[in-house]
Amino acid sequence: MNFQRIAIGLFVLLVAALGVAFYIDWRMAVQLRTVKAFVEGYVLAEAVAACEKAKSTTPFKWNGGKQTAVIGLNSVKLNKDTVIASYTLVADSVYCDYDPIKKKANIGSNFLEREAF
């Protein structure tokens, strides 16, 4: 009888711990989405200006472009200390990757032509 009470108590604790873990995960995901949206909105104007000024054989025309899209803020973790962030825009099939840290834009007309920072 004592073993059953201990087993039931441990099971209830396990279910409660899982519930708390999922709740914390959900709250962190909501906060991360909020921060990501804020950063993307903050960086958009800088990215557009840098992409339009970048030298390339294929000009990047965000203003006046027929088909424009924001792919978004991306990051690549090279190792435990280095994270490379890029903000990608597309205007009339011309891709522009903007590095918000270095304030530098690279343009490529397709995925294979795009250069890494």
Side-chain angles (χ1 to χ4, degrees):
M1 188 61 133
N2 214 7
F3 175 74
Q4 289 176 339
R5 287 183 183 172
I6 292 172
I8 291 172
L10 287 176
F11 181 73
V12 168
L13 269 164
L14 178 67
V15 169
L18 284 174
V20 169
F22 283 121
Y23 175 74
I24 290 172
D25 183 51
W26 173 74
R27 292 290 298 177
M28 293 294 285
V30 168
Q31 288 178 350
L32 181 63
R33 282 194 307 265
T34 303
V35 169
K36 185 177 177 186
F38 175 77
V39 169
E40 286 180 350
Y42 181 74
V43 173
L44 179 64
E46 285 182 1
V48 169
C51 288
E52 287 185 340
K53 290 179 186 175
K55 294 178 182 177
S56 175
T57 56
T58 55
F60 185 85
K61 301 288 184 191
W62 182 265
N63 297 322
K66 293 177 182 166
Q67 292 182 333
T68 59
V70 176
I71 294 178
L73 187 65
N74 308 305
S75 65
V76 176
K77 189 169 186 176
L78 297 178
N79 57 36
K80 68 177 184 170
D81 298 325
T82 308
V83 175
I84 296 177
S86 70
Y87 193 75
T88 306
L89 304 173
V90 180
D92 297 331
S93 298
V94 177
Y95 288 84
C96 179
D97 291 321
Y98 174 71
D99 183 353
I101 306 294
K102 296 179 183 175
K103 309 265 188 220
K104 181 182 174 188
N106 284 335
I107 295 178
S109 61
N110 66 34
F111 183 77
L112 296 175
E113 290 180 20
R114 295 162 61 193
E115 297 176 11
F117 288 101

